[in-house]
Amino acid sequence: MKPLSFVFIRLGIGISMFGHGLVRLPKLDTFSAGMVDNFSESFIPDFMVLPFGFVLPFLEFLLGLMLLLGWKTRLAGIMGGILMLILMLGTSMIENWSSLPSQMIHLLFFILVYEFHHKNTLALDNISPKK
């Protein structure tokens, strides 16, 4: 993989995650309540869904920011992959099959970020501390 190709992959998934978090943060209560409503028919209890609904936008925002800046890129790939797997499990529990393809594409992008993080350019990861 060429370094510029990796930058586009990193920025693409970074913009998506940053945007997901950014638009949800101002309406955190509404977003979390909506998640509880969506999961009301599933076996996952409200006491687990509600806090996750409050944390998710912050995770999305943070992951997106890390990727946009190219900071801790390998870690962002791992965290993002784990987050996507959790979201895919939740999506399956409420039988929201139309959301799975998008989540699988996001997972693939996080795998690429993790796998090729050594190709990272135009990134804070490449700034060496002065001695």
Side-chain angles (χ1 to χ4, degrees):
M1 176 176 291
K2 296 181 180 178
L4 186 57
S5 298
F6 181 80
V7 170
F8 287 132
I9 288 170
R10 191 190 85 218
L11 293 177
I13 190 66
I15 289 168
S16 178
M17 296 306 291
F18 184 81
H20 273 82
L22 187 64
V23 300
R24 291 173 173 164
L25 285 172
K27 55 183 179 182
L28 203 50
D29 289 330
T30 306
F31 175 73
S32 296
M35 280 194 68
V36 170
D37 285 346
N38 288 339
F39 281 84
S40 64
E41 301 293 320
S42 78
F43 71 88
I44 302 173
D46 291 355
F47 75 85
M48 291 177 69
V49 176
L50 186 63
F52 186 76
F54 278 106
V55 171
L56 179 60
F58 289 100
L59 288 174
E60 292 169 330
F61 182 83
L62 177 62
L63 280 170
L65 187 61
M66 289 170 71
L67 291 166
L68 289 173
L69 297 174
W71 181 69
K72 304 281 185 185
T73 306
R74 181 178 176 274
L75 178 61
I78 294 168
M79 289 172 45
I82 291 168
L83 178 60
M84 284 302 118
L85 293 173
I86 292 167
L87 292 175
M88 290 168 65
L89 177 62
T91 296
S92 297
M93 295 301 103
I94 60 173
E95 300 181 70
N96 183 2
W97 309 121
S98 63
S99 292
L100 273 175
S102 173
Q103 291 170 338
M104 292 176 77
I105 291 168
H106 277 75
L107 176 61
L108 177 59
F109 269 74
F110 280 117
I111 291 167
L112 291 171
V113 165
Y114 171 76
E115 190 65 31
F116 296 104
H117 71 277
H118 59 280
K119 296 285 188 175
N120 205 7
T121 58
L122 301 172
L124 291 180
D125 285 344
N126 296 331
I127 297 175
S128 300
K130 293 184 180 181
K131 296 179 182 181

